[in-house]
């Protein structure tokens, strides 16, 4: 079964850090670009970051550039998002999605919630 | 950055009717790298259409996409009760961006 399972969300104070993980199964992970997409409570979808299958190319939305780092471990079929200098406006449900670059997002996880608040 | 504007914001229709959702891009979308997603409450989005007009795996043929350049349309013929949801357009030809969503509600 094709599956994406996010973890690592939680409550963090402004200025703090958090690392999200996404465990993939059921497809050839190393051949797939992967992305993070977030959704603030009651709001629409916002693309955050993407990474190529090899991990050699990374891309970021302007809103997170310089604060977030996307990475992957193809030996573990796992995608990561390191989030530093978190702000209240980063509060959202963070989805891991298969796709990115010139590929639509054909598979999504169920999301992990990140809340930035003092 | 390509900005996508969806219309209408809310569409009220009855089961069995035809729905037409629009998305306009601020710049031409290269090579039709354009997609539509459906999201139901409490669920992750689901890919419906990619490449502007290709249905994703398992998507019923009552869903169809059309358009090119800056104007794209999602059409749902003969609405089923399970089709009432929020729909997002996306372009992935120049970085990534999503529209703000159209809520399709039961009239």
């Amino acid at each position: 079964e094709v599956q994406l399972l996010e973890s690592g969300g939680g409550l963090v104070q402004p200025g703090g850090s958090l690392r999200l993980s996404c465990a993939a199964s059921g497809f050839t992970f190393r051949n797939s670009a992967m992305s993070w997409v977030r959704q603030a409570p009651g709001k629409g979808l916002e693309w955050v970051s993407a990474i190529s299958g090899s991990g050699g190319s990374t891309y970021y939305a302007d809103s997170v550039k310089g604060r977030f780092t996307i990475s992957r471990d193809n030996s573990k079929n796992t995608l990561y998002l390191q989030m530093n200098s978190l702000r209240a406006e980063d509060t959202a449900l963070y989805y891991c999605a298969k796709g990115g670059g010139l590929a639509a997002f054909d598979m999504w996880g169920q999301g992990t919630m990140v809340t930035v608040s003092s | 950055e390509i900005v996508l504007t969806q219309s209408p914001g809310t569409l009220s229709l009855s089961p069995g009717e035809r729905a037409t959702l629009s998305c306009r891009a601020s710049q031409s979308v290269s090579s039709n790298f354009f997609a539509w997603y459906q999201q139901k409450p409490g669920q992750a989005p689901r890919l419906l259409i990619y490449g502007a007009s290709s249905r994703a795996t398992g998507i019923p043929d009552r869903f169809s996409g059309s358009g090119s350049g800056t104007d794209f349309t999602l059409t749902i013929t003969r609405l089923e009760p399970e089709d009432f949801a929020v729909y997002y357009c996306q372009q992935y030809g120049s970085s990534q961006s999503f529209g703000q969503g159209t809520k399709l509600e039961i009239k």
Side-chain angles (χ1 to χ4, degrees):
Chain A
E1 180 190 2
V2 174
Q3 192 171 13
L4 296 172
L5 187 60
E6 303 95 334
S7 60
L11 174 64
V12 61
Q13 292 188 339
S17 298
L18 214 52
R19 189 197 199 198
L20 306 183
S21 298
C22 172
S25 60
F27 64 98
T28 308
F29 183 71
R30 65 180 180 276
N31 289 348
S32 299
M34 298 293 296
S35 296
W36 290 97
V37 177
R38 68 185 180 184
Q39 187 169 35
K43 303 297 183 181
L45 302 172
E46 180 188 14
W47 171 76
V48 173
S49 183
I51 188 168
S52 62
S54 67
S57 298
T58 57
Y59 311 88
Y60 299 94
D62 288 344
S63 57
V64 306
K65 200 171 294 183
R67 300 187 299 122
F68 290 11
T69 302
I70 191 171
S71 63
R72 63 193 296 160
D73 185 337
N74 286 345
S75 68
K76 296 182 178 179
N77 287 356
T78 302
L79 175 73
Y80 303 101
L81 186 67
Q82 177 67 43
M83 304 186 295
N84 298 331
S85 303
L86 283 161
R87 307 166 179 167
E89 54 265 36
D90 296 318
T91 294
L93 185 63
Y94 283 73
Y95 291 104
C96 165
K98 175 176 169 285
L102 297 179
F105 302 143
D106 62 357
M107 190 186 323
W108 298 66
Q110 285 305 302
T112 186
M113 186 68 201
V114 172
T115 303
V116 184
S117 174
S118 55
Chain B
E1 178 192 352
I2 297 178
V3 176
L4 301 179
T5 303
Q6 293 187 239
S7 61
T10 301
L11 185 58
S12 300
L13 294 170
S14 300
E17 291 192 295
R18 178 189 185 96
T20 303
L21 287 67
S22 297
C23 184
R24 175 162 289 178
S26 60
Q27 306 169 41
S28 184
V29 176
S30 59
S31 301
N32 285 348
F33 289 123
F34 194 89
W36 291 94
Y37 299 85
Q38 176 194 68
Q39 187 178 34
K40 297 179 181 180
Q43 296 185 17
R46 176 175 70 149
L47 177 65
L48 298 175
I49 301 289
Y50 64 95
S53 60
S54 297
R55 272 187 301 277
T57 302
I59 301 303
D61 60 8
R62 65 179 181 273
F63 290 89
S64 64
S66 62
S68 63
T70 60
D71 290 289
F72 297 86
T73 300
L74 175 70
T75 301
I76 313 170
T77 59
R78 303 179 310 276
L79 282 166
E80 298 286 345
E82 62 266 27
D83 298 337
F84 292 90
V86 179
Y87 291 83
Y88 294 95
C89 60
Q90 179 212 16
Q91 68 80 23
Y92 49 99
S94 173
S95 188
Q96 308 272 345
S97 51
F98 289 96
Q100 82 279 16
T102 289
K103 182 180 181 180
L104 177 57
E105 64 177 24
I106 298 177
K107 188 174 182 180

